Amino acid sequence: MTRHGPRCDKVQGPGFLLGVLVLSAMVLSAATQPAPKRIISLIPAVTEMLFAIGAGDQVVGVSSFDTYPAEVETRQKVGGLFDPNFERILSLRPDMVITYGSQDELTTRLKTANIPWFSYRHGGLADITSTIRALGVRTGHAAQAQTLASQIETELAAVKARSAGKARPRTLVVFGREEGSLRGLFVSGGVGFLHDLLELAGGENVMADVAREGLQLSSEQLLGRAPDVVIELRNGQAWSPDRRARELGVWRDARIPASRNGRVHLLADPSLVIPGPRVGQAARTIADVIFLQAR
Amino acid sequence: MTHPLRRAISTVVLCLVVAVVAVIAAPFIGPTPLSFGAVFSTRLPFADNTDAQIFFLARLPRALAAALVGGTLATAGVVFQALLRNPLATPYTLGISAGASFGAMVAITFGFVLPFGLPMGGVAGASLAGAGLAVIVVYALASARHSGLSTTVLLLAGVTMNSFFSALILFVQYLSDFTETFRALRWLMGDLDVAGYEPILAGLPIIAIALLGFGWLARPLNLLTLGADAAATRGVDVVRAQRVAFFTGSLATGAAVSIGGPIGFIGIIVPHLVRLVVGADHRLVLPASFGFGAAFLVGCDVLARTVLSPMELPVGIITALIGGPFFLYMLITRTRNTA
């Protein structure tokens, strides 16, 4: 989901025709304004997109949470969602800043400083490719962005085709937990990137009826929802083998079908939780886990 | 026995009975429809009986945790209000809960676990360790230049440690990523979903010791509220009573926070509500506060897990939303009646 600053056009795609019209308008609009040469991205997912469409050389600053691709280490860090360093942003003399949709204060200051911005919010799977295309148009890399978006769509379609006709195991996606216990479980609800990824990969989200991207799950809900498969995603570093065995041991006490059948999977890979250009690989990984295929 | 005293004792008994009834009734209420025939069936193996598992492994431990935490925080509030001779004192005034919260934040952000075999998770253990650290620092400060405890220094040291630990909490949160920050924030709102009996059993010995101390303190606290000198002239060993009050109140607070997080409002509202009904005698206020605090938190937790089902409302929000207006209502009606 994207919203642009004063020099950009809005991108919203309720239907294909509208999407084509908007994209055409953006291309025409982009043709009338120069592509930015000094971009700052405060969103790790968008940073990945910029590098993937060939706009990496235009990126001069990234957020404090950016770690991928490796080139981001050579860029200036300018803070994050809650603490963007406006002075450092200004000092980099950007001609486009990628902000998150909730950073109203920052966008107001950017407007005052007459710096264009590109506002982004995490959405579902479809929003990844639409954002890539919009970024391509805005940064002068429309052709590469189109190629990348099409490639991602092909990858996702292939994963979806793999799961067609197969039984869909009832799956719980966990993205936060108090280590060493089953307290403080944070799980994917029925909307958003993780939900879309799971459903596309062939799982049935046991929390599909909750219209939220994430929620804290009580032990009662965990027992009541009785998932056949649990996929726990870890954004940080992978656990040591001993630690991993301990955490799996915690899950074995959960008294849910997934624990009884050895279907709790701990995956430590940041690409699985970042809605960026590596989403095709993420979908394959999730599908491999759901259908127990060697990776 | 005079009539008011008999009425006060009846109120105490009523509070304790309501607490027991609340614990028994709470597991029958919840977001998942249960077949209570299946819950108490002896024919179905427990491992295959999801209804029984939800009842006995999710709801009952939660109700017990709520009762224990609610009762403990309420009585700790009574003790601190008497020790500090300040009606605004709470179990959190002296920085113990801020220390406990700092321990929990470190565990959530850096993700360490206690060696297996210890009956609590890493967050609960770290929280208890943080509370212990705060107790030592505050006590050392308050007793540094006095033979006993200076309540003024105790209060100032506690408030300072509160701010100090709060700054450390913010610092740790600043170092963490979004998901950790959100989990940490959620922990600070209170969570009684203990997912089993282990966290309760881990905190129970500490709370039991603290409650025994509270029992011993009832009479000295009555006299301490008149002032240290007045209490001493009536035969109270003031220094010993202050030390026992400080350590037992702090232990109780640390253990309760390690189980359910820093759930607000109970430690200040319940003691005052109870005093409005049973008077100021700590022999009545302490047990009545335990019973009412327990029942109140069990009730709040039932609301927390049902009103937005299948999502949960943090219980700390409910305690403040219900407790605040209820306390003001009691305050106004009781004051009017007394006038």
Side-chain angles (χ1 to χ4, degrees):
Chain A
M1 279 178 229
T2 51
R3 186 167 61 86
H4 298 250
R7 296 184 192 172
C8 307
D9 297 317
K10 287 193 172 181
V11 178
Q12 286 169 349
F16 176 74
L17 190 59
L18 185 60
V20 170
L21 285 170
V22 170
L23 198 61
S24 308
M26 285 169 56
V27 171
L28 286 172
S29 168
T32 64
Q33 55 184 284
K37 293 185 175 64
R38 300 181 64 80
I39 302 171
I40 292 175
S41 168
L42 286 161
I43 320 291
V46 179
T47 307
E48 284 194 31
M49 293 175 192
L50 289 168
F51 277 88
I53 62 173
D57 288 343
Q58 292 152 259
V59 176
V60 293
V62 294
S63 86
S64 307
F65 296 96
D66 276 273
T67 55
Y68 188 90
E71 291 97 305
V72 298
E73 296 304 326
T74 63
R75 304 302 195 269
Q76 288 278 327
K77 304 277 173 144
V78 296
L81 179 64
F82 301 125
D83 61 344
N85 187 325
F86 193 63
E87 183 175 327
R88 200 174 295 161
I89 289 172
L90 285 180
S91 73
L92 291 173
R93 292 173 289 107
D95 48 13
M96 186 167 92
V97 178
I98 317 280
T99 63
Y100 198 72
S102 59
Q103 290 180 307
D104 293 335
E105 192 184 327
L106 176 62
T107 50
T108 305
R109 296 174 84 176
L110 289 170
K111 197 174 177 180
T112 310
N114 204 26
I115 298 170
W117 75 90
F118 181 103
S119 185
Y120 166 86
R121 269 185 193 272
H122 292 313
L125 270 182
D127 295 303
I128 296 174
T129 45
S130 67
T131 303
I132 287 173
R133 289 191 172 98
L135 275 175
V137 170
R138 186 69 192 88
T139 60
H141 297 271
Q144 293 106 307
Q146 178 60 32
T147 306
L148 176 67
S150 301
Q151 182 192 324
I152 292 171
E153 282 159 355
T154 307
E155 287 173 342
L156 294 177
V159 173
K160 191 172 183 178
R162 259 175 66 188
S163 65
K166 291 183 180 168
R168 302 172 71 80
R170 300 180 69 258
T171 306
L172 178 73
V173 176
V174 178
F175 59 83
R177 176 174 61 83
E178 186 179 302
E179 292 186 24
S181 86
L182 287 174
R183 293 187 71 174
L185 282 177
F186 285 91
V187 304
S188 166
V191 293
F193 159 69
L194 289 176
H195 167 77
D196 289 356
L197 202 57
L198 172 63
E199 297 270 332
L200 177 120
E204 180 193 336
N205 186 357
V206 292
M207 303 308 296
D209 59 313
V210 182
R212 284 175 65 104
E213 282 193 74
L215 70 152
Q216 185 173 12
L217 194 72
S218 66
S219 46
E220 172 170 343
Q221 289 288 341
L222 177 65
L223 287 166
R225 300 279 171 154
D228 296 315
V229 177
V230 171
I231 299 175
E232 181 173 339
L233 305 174
R234 185 170 157 79
N235 190 19
Q237 285 189 327
W239 281 308
S240 67
D242 280 357
R243 184 66 176 276
R244 186 183 162 78
R246 283 181 179 184
E247 297 300 332
L248 279 172
V250 167
W251 275 107
R252 268 194 289 278
D253 297 333
R255 297 172 186 268
I256 52 175
S259 312
R260 284 196 287 274
N261 304 326
R263 293 302 313 272
V264 176
H265 306 275
L266 308 182
L267 304 177
D269 182 352
S271 73
L272 296 173
V273 290
I274 294 179
R278 292 180 286 170
V279 68
Q281 175 58 43
R284 278 198 296 277
T285 304
I286 301 286
D288 288 346
V289 164
I290 290 173
F291 298 112
L292 285 178
Q293 288 172 0
R295 285 180 290 127
Chain B
M1 197 182 281
T2 57
H3 182 63
L5 182 60
R6 197 183 304 151
R7 207 182 64 179
I9 291 173
S10 313
T11 309
V12 171
V13 173
L14 182 69
C15 285
L16 293 170
V17 169
V18 168
V20 173
V21 170
V23 170
I24 294 169
F28 288 89
I29 307 161
T32 316
L34 296 185
S35 155
F36 293 106
V39 166
F40 300 106
S41 166
T42 49
R43 283 177 298 175
L44 270 172
F46 188 72
D48 301 328
N49 190 344
T50 304
D51 287 349
Q53 287 173 1
I54 289 175
F55 190 92
F56 290 108
L57 298 179
R59 291 187 189 172
L60 185 59
R62 197 168 170 153
L64 288 169
L68 195 63
V69 170
T72 304
L73 288 177
T75 42
V78 172
V79 170
F80 281 118
Q81 281 159 18
L83 171 68
L84 301 170
R85 298 182 63 208
N86 188 329
L88 294 177
T90 77
Y92 304 156
T93 302
L94 294 186
I96 311 304
S97 100
S101 300
F102 169 63
M105 294 305 102
V106 171
I108 288 170
T109 303
F110 301 110
F112 62 80
V113 291
L114 292 178
F116 269 46
L118 285 178
M120 57 173 64
V123 174
S127 159
L128 207 52
L133 175 68
V135 169
I136 292 167
V137 174
V138 172
Y139 181 77
L141 290 171
S143 58
R145 294 176 64 183
H146 297 81
S147 55
L149 280 175
S150 158
T151 50
T152 309
V153 180
L154 195 61
L155 200 54
L156 288 172
V159 170
T160 308
M161 289 311 291
N162 242 331
S163 304
F164 181 72
F165 279 121
S166 299
L168 287 178
I169 288 169
L170 291 176
F171 180 62
V172 171
Q173 286 199 2
Y174 189 77
L175 296 177
S176 58
D177 73 19
F178 295 145
T179 52
E180 288 158 354
T181 303
F182 185 70
R183 282 174 55 213
L185 190 65
R186 180 63 188 81
W187 189 89
L188 291 171
M189 295 179 192
D191 181 14
L192 292 161
D193 187 21
V194 288
Y197 296 95
E198 291 82 1
I200 303 171
L201 293 174
L204 193 59
I206 300 169
I207 290 175
I209 292 169
L211 292 180
L212 285 174
F214 291 170
W216 178 83
L217 278 168
R219 187 182 162 275
L221 286 183
N222 280 344
L223 298 169
L224 269 181
T225 50
L226 305 172
D229 294 337
T233 57
R234 285 167 172 80
V236 174
D237 183 342
V238 172
V239 174
R240 190 164 70 154
Q242 284 177 331
R243 278 188 188 143
V244 172
F246 173 73
F247 281 111
T248 52
S250 301
L251 276 176
T253 304
V257 171
S258 77
I259 295 172
I263 299 166
F265 239 62
I266 292 204
I268 185 163
I269 293 304
V270 173
H272 287 301
L273 272 174
V274 167
R275 278 194 206 98
L276 285 172
V277 180
V278 304
D281 187 343
H282 285 90
R283 290 170 298 179
L284 299 172
V285 174
L286 281 165
S289 293
F290 188 89
F292 188 66
F296 180 67
L297 193 53
V298 171
C300 287
D301 189 53
V302 167
L303 286 176
R305 57 195 167 86
T306 49
V307 285
L308 286 183
S309 166
M311 289 188 302
E312 296 212 356
L313 206 55
V315 71
I317 294 175
I318 305 254
T319 54
L321 281 180
I322 294 180
F326 185 53
F327 178 68
L328 290 177
Y329 167 76
M330 288 289 284
L331 196 66
I332 291 163
T333 53
R334 287 277 159 171
T335 312
R336 196 181 292 152
N337 290 345
T338 341

